[in-house]
Amino acid sequence: MKVNERGRWMDAMNTQRLLEAARGDRPVDLLIRNTRWVNVFSGEIMETPIAVAGGYIVGWGEHEAERVLDLDGRYVSPGLIDAHVHIESAMVGPFGFAAAVVPHGTTSVVADPHEIANVLGTEGIAYMVDCGEQSLLNIFFTLPSCVPATGMESSGAVLDASALKPWVSHPRIVALAEMMNFPGVIHGDPDVLAKIGQMHGAGKPVDGHSPGLSGAGLHAYLLPGIASDHECTSLAEAREKLDAGMHIMIREGTGARNLDALLPLITARTARRLMWCTDDRHPHDLLVEGGIDSMVRRAVKAGVDPVCAIQMATLNPAEYFRLDAVGAIAPGRRADLIVMENIEDPVVQQVYIGGRQVAVDGRMVVDNSGPAITPPPASMHVALDRLDFAVAARGRRIRAIETVPDQIVTRSAIAEARIVNGRALSDPSRDLLKIAVVERHRATGRTGVGFVRGFGLGRGALAATVAHDSHNIVAVGVEDGDLAAATRALVDMGGGLVAVDQERVIASVPLPIAGLMSDQPAERVCAGLDELLAAARHLGSRLADPFMTLSFMALPVIPALKITDMGLVDVDQFKQVSLFVEDEV
């Protein structure tokens, strides 16, 4: 589907036909009768028939129609919009992702292809946009702002303002993606400001990413025009950012669950500045829990007015991203609709995109496989002959990463190292395991090794090429041999997720598209993940999804302590630090 700069699909000839239908000079394609529908502009529940022609709403009230749909009093809402999502985190390509989310009522997403861009650069962006043009799901994109996220890691590409400039005016690019380099904004980095400036010049917003930022630092960050944030983990943080003028995207992903903490933020006065987003959700959660629909249901169950919750999932993101063709039931808007039995328990029963029924009772009823679009070759260039996970002891006290349940933030702790024959080793009796990041884009052989608590492995290793944001290989385990075997297995399969025990692969999920996504349906990926998670539990992991947690251990823009191929990063100080405390005494 080709779009113009306003997110519309109409051409001049189609507009004339739609005008005729709106005037009543020709029958509409579809008239939806006997329904109660949500007017997100007025906040009212309307009971007039909805008229659809050429895939668009052309009005309401009685019209002569080619086909009449009687909904027997059911509720209709605009299709839901995910305001910020990384498709890559679902571990399926755009077509597989659409098949997973559309049956749950998500008809539009604003996707940040930041993950594939960090691996494949503009080739990755082009692949995602090409798929978006052909997808049943309305996929809009934000332009990755931080590739790489920092200078303290090795990525597969470097995208400065000049590299991004050709994409700024693309009609599917609706904003600059999450500006994670908040120190660069605050201190006026010229390239960072150029990225922001050229997006503002195109009349498009700039998304933010500033976990924990407060006070004067937050004010400086907002000064160049940062407009939103999806990283709030506490009510106080969200209120401060809302007070300062930010739009707040309330996030409920797989690794970061913030909905419950932020529900009190939603009031009659604040709601129009709020949106829902999933950010990063694994396929199992998408298929079982759903997406934005699950957030709407939970909010309503917690006491949020249903119309308000639906506005946050429709009109609010449409207005923020200036998409005037989606997000509402009104003349000129796409007939992207969801049907529910009860607005107080909004379970999606039917989904329409462009006036065509595409899903019923959680299942697609049309083909969404999409055309064969060949992805660029995956970036898997690892110096296997130089793998080395040994840590020479340079003291007894080490910095250790501590995981935080249901969050992507971590803590920084000081631990006593287990020293044997002059080397620091894992100590599973204290849940102190080795964690390593191996560079996979240019075969440099660079490897960062540290220690982490929270994974609970008693033996074996887990490893993945999904490692935000540069997506090098990240591995956690007890023995060096298992870490090495897991790394080799990932290279052999062209990227993915793997569990290893006694240097033998016991479960794996290949991700051949950039080492991030499968070319298989979400259901098949979920089956592989179930085996993988069972293997992780067999090895002793006590995390609900250790691979989602592992994927964020290498993200050096989320506090407090992370690891990259270059070593440990103290995110609060935004600098690299030594593993051994004694090195800095």
Side-chain angles (χ1 to χ4, degrees):
M1 293 176 290
K2 299 292 184 181
V3 298
N4 66 17
E5 70 281 357
R6 300 292 292 167
R8 290 192 179 275
W9 287 261
M10 295 184 195
D11 56 30
M13 185 177 296
N14 190 34
T15 302
Q16 288 293 343
R17 290 195 297 266
L18 298 183
L19 286 170
E20 291 171 5
R23 294 193 304 260
D25 293 341
R26 62 181 294 168
V28 298
D29 300 332
L30 175 67
L31 189 67
I32 304 174
R33 282 186 178 146
N34 196 8
T35 183
R36 292 170 283 185
W37 58 271
V38 181
N39 189 320
V40 291
F41 293 113
S42 67
E44 298 178 352
I45 303 297
M46 313 282 283
E47 296 188 2
T48 52
I50 303 169
V52 177
Y56 284 81
I57 307 294
V58 295
W60 45 80
E62 288 297 333
H63 283 68
E64 183 182 355
E66 298 287 346
R67 185 166 68 94
V68 174
L69 174 65
D70 189 318
L71 286 181
D72 195 27
R74 293 182 180 87
Y75 288 86
V76 173
S77 158
L80 308 179
I81 302 173
D82 194 330
H84 175 75
V85 63
H86 300 283
I87 290 174
E88 302 95 319
S89 292
M91 292 188 240
V92 290
F95 300 116
F97 177 80
V101 302
V102 167
H104 290 281
T106 295
T107 58
S108 299
V109 300
V110 181
D112 176 5
H114 172 90
E115 315 302 344
I116 196 169
N118 265 280
V119 178
L120 301 173
T122 55
E123 274 192 291
I125 297 173
Y127 169 72
M128 298 296 279
V129 171
D130 287 346
C131 291
E133 292 279 6
Q134 303 298 325
S135 176
L136 178 71
L137 175 69
N138 306 322
I139 306 179
F140 301 99
F141 294 94
T142 54
L143 192 58
S145 66
C146 300
V147 177
T150 74
M152 295 177 285
E153 57 191 320
S154 301
S155 67
V158 176
L159 301 182
D160 60 11
S162 62
L164 296 181
K165 189 172 183 180
W167 290 92
V168 169
S169 60
H170 193 287
R172 283 207 177 257
I173 300 293
V174 297
L176 186 66
E178 48 185 329
M179 178 49 74
M180 295 181 288
N181 187 1
F182 59 84
V185 177
I186 293 169
H187 297 290
D189 180 276
D191 188 65
V192 168
L193 296 184
K195 292 174 181 177
I196 295 171
Q198 63 191 20
M199 192 59 68
H200 283 319
K204 300 177 181 181
V206 176
D207 284 348
H209 179 288
S210 54
L213 197 60
S214 180
L218 175 63
H219 299 163
Y221 178 67
L222 298 182
L223 192 68
I226 308 292
S228 69
D229 189 274
H230 61 273
E231 289 291 337
C232 296
T233 59
S234 72
L235 184 60
E237 179 183 3
R239 281 177 171 160
E240 181 181 5
K241 290 176 176 177
L242 186 67
D243 287 345
M246 300 187 90
H247 295 259
I248 304 299
M249 298 177 183
I250 298 176
R251 172 180 60 188
E252 187 76 356
T254 294
R257 298 182 179 271
N258 311 126
L259 185 146
D260 289 339
L262 300 185
L263 278 176
L265 186 68
I266 306 170
T267 69
R269 293 184 177 182
T270 63
R272 291 288 276 119
R273 302 281 292 184
L274 308 178
M275 297 169 268
W276 306 114
C277 78
T278 60
D279 197 4
D280 299 282
R281 275 204 182 191
H282 272 190
H284 188 272
D285 288 341
L286 289 177
L287 293 177
V288 176
E289 294 181 21
I292 298 300
D293 64 312
S294 67
M295 302 182 72
V296 171
R297 279 195 303 276
R298 285 179 55 188
V300 172
K301 186 176 181 180
V304 175
D305 175 71
V307 173
C308 173
I310 289 170
Q311 282 177 324
M312 290 171 58
T314 56
L315 184 62
N316 291 9
E319 289 187 336
Y320 171 75
F321 289 109
R322 302 164 196 176
L323 302 173
D324 62 3
V326 295
I329 299 173
R333 303 268 176 164
R334 286 250 300 176
D336 297 345
L337 309 168
I338 60 175
V339 178
M340 304 164 287
E341 184 74 38
N342 182 359
I343 199 173
E344 298 292 339
D345 182 22
V347 176
V348 176
Q349 295 178 323
Q350 302 176 40
V351 182
Y352 292 77
I353 293 181
R356 179 174 65 141
Q357 188 182 69
V358 297
V360 176
D361 294 333
R363 299 183 66 179
M364 297 291 293
V365 294
V366 299
D367 178 45
N368 184 58
S369 56
I373 299 177
T374 303
S379 175
M380 289 300 299
H381 307 294
V382 179
L384 293 175
D385 59 333
R386 284 183 277 167
L387 284 181
D388 185 3
F389 300 101
V391 177
R394 298 190 304 275
R396 298 206 64 87
R397 293 186 302 155
I398 56 173
R399 288 183 173 86
I401 302 169
E402 287 192 344
T403 64
V404 178
D406 294 330
Q407 301 295 337
I408 60 176
V409 297
T410 60
R411 301 188 186 99
S412 178
I414 303 298
E416 188 80 8
R418 176 187 172 219
I419 309 295
V420 177
N421 296 327
R423 292 185 175 183
L425 305 180
S426 296
D427 188 351
S429 68
R430 292 186 291 144
D431 190 20
L432 187 65
L433 305 177
K434 273 191 180 178
I435 186 168
V437 177
V438 180
E439 192 275 327
R440 71 150 166 132
H441 304 296
R442 295 182 178 84
T444 62
R446 188 179 296 118
T447 301
V449 183
F451 290 85
V452 65
R453 283 176 171 159
F455 281 89
L457 297 180
R459 64 179 192 273
L462 309 177
T465 52
V466 179
H468 304 281
D469 275 332
S470 291
H471 298 290
N472 292 299
I473 292 173
V474 62
V476 61
V478 178
E479 302 291 344
D480 291 1
D482 284 331
L483 293 171
T487 301
R488 292 190 180 95
L490 290 175
V491 174
D492 289 343
M493 73 172 70
L497 315 174
V498 66
V500 166
D501 188 20
Q502 296 181 341
E503 302 186 18
R504 180 178 61 87
V505 173
I506 59 174
S508 64
V509 175
L511 300 175
I513 304 176
L516 303 175
M517 294 175 282
S518 172
D519 53 2
Q520 300 297 310
E523 290 82 1
R524 189 170 299 178
V525 174
C526 280
L529 285 174
D530 287 342
E531 293 181 6
L532 197 66
L533 295 178
R537 287 190 293 271
H538 175 72
L539 295 176
S541 176
R542 54 177 177 255
L543 294 173
D545 192 335
F547 286 92
M548 177 61 88
T549 302
L550 184 62
S551 72
F552 284 102
M553 293 299 102
L555 180 54
V557 293
I558 299 290
L561 186 65
K562 295 293 166 71
I563 186 168
T564 75
D565 62 306
M566 297 183 183
L568 287 177
V569 177
D570 183 323
V571 183
D572 293 329
Q573 299 184 64
F574 216 68
K575 70 175 188 179
Q576 289 180 259
V577 292
S578 174
L579 172 61
F580 289 90
V581 176
E582 286 87 348
D583 284 348
E584 298 177 0
V585 174

